[in-house]
Amino acid sequence: MDMSRRTVIAGAAAAGITAATLGSAHATGGGAPVRSLFGTLPDGTKVHSWSLANGSTRMKVLSYGGVVQSLEVPDRRGRFANVSLGFRSLDDYVASSPYFGALIGRYGNRIGKGRFTLDGRTYQVDVNDGENSLHGGAKGFDKRVWDVEPFTKGTDVGLRLYYTSLDGEMGYPGTLRVKVTYTLTRYGDWRVDYAATTDKATVVNLTSHVYWNLAGEGSGTIENHELKIDGSRYTPVDEGLIPTGELARVAGTPFDFRRSKAVGEDLRAAHQQLLYGKGIDHNWVLDKGISPRPEWVATLKDPSSGRTLRIATTEPGLQFYSGNFLDGTLVGTGGRVYRQGDGLCLETQHFPDSPNRPSFPSTVLRPGQTYRSTTVHSFTR
């Protein structure tokens, strides 16, 4: 990875992978997204659910947190299943969600002690994970109601989600105007385009926090899923899961997914990093680095169903979280309890604690610049 490329900003939108390189050989068009009332927050704010379908993919998205409540794709025999963990009710998302399906910001992942210095000024942001800040604080973007605008464009269907984070929200400087576009292509690929501008220097790291189980949510462990990550290094962490600053080689460690292997193969190895995370909760340094266009970086496959997820991104990092803190207290959309390892996350991102690590790719955004990032999820069987 070229560590001299330390910016997440660009003057023009990152171009996508061409449709010919994505999805299955069978492409079908979809209709306009359909809105329905999902629930009402205690303050009276209405939350809506949007249903959209294209190709062989069906999604439901909430205006609350931009949450992907469900994502259905077929198996090798054409049988559909929801492969994204979530809840049936708005009350559950408000009360106890571990970021199921949500948009994450203003800063995805952790900032050590919730503190960073920018242009000579030290900022204290909300601390909500021990002594650290996680996913933007106690009321990050995952707990905000987004404005949603449906669209159809050619054979694509999708949603544009808008949120304005005011100067000082959760301690972050600058008013940040965010636009996230969810697109379902005619091939059934789910593309996420992030864009943001600010009126004051700030830090930004946006991502999506879908928990995947390609056998179907509530079906049990993901340890038999096979995973490949195109990353030769990862960022080791301390006991608070804050990167030490080292870019360690994965070779000879449980973190070596350069060749596809079962998620559970080395999950219980006697390795200090696994003990810190109670499993895997680490950032991979992608070999490609930052790229102007999405490039393939990871493949996840469930052998039992044949469902395969390929991920392409412009981002330099990928956080792989093996669902270590699912503890059997949450009941999912299918009415089944989620236990440890019943879902996993593959969060495309810049590195954790980058504002405190000058050697990491920069997450600083300044007035006049536009933050842009793209991730594509492609499903096959």
Side-chain angles (χ1 to χ4, degrees):
M1 175 182 173
D2 181 1
M3 296 305 295
S4 67
R5 300 189 63 182
R6 293 184 52 210
T7 178
V8 296
I9 54 179
I17 298 175
T18 61
T21 67
L22 290 172
S24 66
H26 303 287
T28 59
V34 177
R35 188 182 80 160
S36 60
L37 182 64
F38 185 70
T40 304
L41 294 172
D43 66 0
T45 302
K46 294 185 183 301
V47 171
H48 292 94
S49 170
W50 292 87
S51 299
L52 54 161
N54 210 359
S56 295
T57 303
R58 308 165 181 168
M59 291 179 67
K60 288 188 177 180
V61 176
L62 307 182
S63 57
Y64 180 81
V67 164
V68 175
Q69 187 204 11
S70 67
L71 192 152
E72 298 181 8
V73 290
D75 65 7
R76 62 168 63 92
R77 297 174 61 183
R79 298 173 299 186
F80 278 83
N82 173 20
V83 297
S84 170
L85 274 59
F87 293 121
R88 291 178 176 176
S89 75
L90 177 60
D91 288 346
D92 285 335
Y93 281 104
V94 173
S96 55
S97 179
Y99 307 100
F100 282 153
L103 285 174
I104 301 298
R106 182 176 301 195
Y107 195 93
N109 219 305
R110 294 173 174 85
I111 295 178
K113 295 182 170 51
R115 190 180 306 126
F116 62 90
T117 299
L118 179 58
D119 295 340
R121 179 174 174 180
T122 298
Y123 293 93
Q124 179 65 59
V125 298
D126 188 61
V127 170
N128 63 325
D129 183 49
E131 63 178 8
N132 304 314
S133 182
L134 175 64
H135 294 331
K139 195 171 182 183
F141 291 1
D142 61 295
K143 296 178 179 64
R144 307 289 179 170
V145 177
W146 293 62
D147 293 326
V148 182
E149 175 185 85
F151 71 88
T152 58
K153 184 178 181 180
T155 57
D156 293 343
V157 300
L159 304 171
R160 299 183 185 97
L161 299 98
Y162 301 91
Y163 178 69
T164 298
S165 175
L166 298 179
D167 184 19
E169 183 177 283
M170 294 290 101
Y172 287 90
T175 294
L176 191 75
R177 300 184 184 279
V178 183
K179 174 186 175 182
V180 180
T181 304
Y182 288 171
T183 303
L184 276 187
T185 75
R186 67 193 182 107
Y187 296 94
D189 301 311
W190 173 41
R191 175 179 171 131
V192 186
D193 291 287
Y194 305 87
T197 59
T198 184
D199 62 359
K200 186 186 297 184
T202 191
V203 295
V204 187
N205 191 26
L206 306 180
T207 190
S208 172
H209 208 287
V210 173
Y211 285 69
W212 302 104
N213 187 323
L214 298 182
E217 67 82 34
S219 64
T221 183
I222 46 78
E223 291 191 18
N224 292 328
H225 281 38
E226 296 169 356
L227 177 63
K228 179 179 182 291
I229 301 175
D230 294 333
S232 302
R233 296 178 183 267
Y234 76 107
T235 51
V237 296
D238 61 21
E239 59 186 351
L241 302 183
I242 301 298
T244 63
E246 180 186 6
L247 304 182
R249 294 189 180 277
V250 300
T253 77
F255 301 93
D256 192 350
F257 284 88
R258 290 174 297 171
R259 293 185 178 181
S260 183
K261 70 176 183 181
V263 168
E265 182 174 324
D266 297 315
L267 199 57
R268 289 168 179 77
H271 193 285
Q272 185 61 61
Q273 288 295 307
L274 295 178
L275 296 177
Y276 282 154
K278 296 182 173 57
I280 296 174
D281 192 1
H282 292 75
N283 169 70
W284 265 251
V285 179
L286 298 174
D287 291 338
K288 72 173 187 65
I290 299 170
S291 55
R293 295 177 176 84
E295 295 184 19
W296 300 116
V297 297
T299 302
L300 181 69
K301 181 177 181 178
D302 169 42
S304 65
S305 66
R307 295 186 185 95
T308 300
L309 165 64
R310 296 183 71 201
I311 295 177
T313 189
T314 58
E315 289 293 285
L318 179 76
Q319 184 83 7
F320 169 26
Y321 168 57
S322 56
N324 318 323
F325 297 101
L326 297 175
D327 60 3
T329 63
L330 304 178
V331 179
T333 47
R336 296 184 179 181
V337 168
Y338 294 148
R339 302 187 184 279
Q340 186 180 49
D342 280 358
L344 63 82
C345 301
L346 297 169
E347 305 156 60
T348 54
Q349 58 171 24
H350 270 54
F351 305 168
D353 203 34
S354 289
N356 294 311
R357 296 288 175 180
S359 63
F360 287 1
S362 175
T363 54
V364 175
L365 180 69
R366 298 185 181 278
Q369 299 174 331
T370 300
Y371 169 103
R372 296 190 190 276
S373 175
T374 297
T375 296
V376 180
H377 309 80
S378 182
F379 303 94
T380 57
R381 45 187 164 130

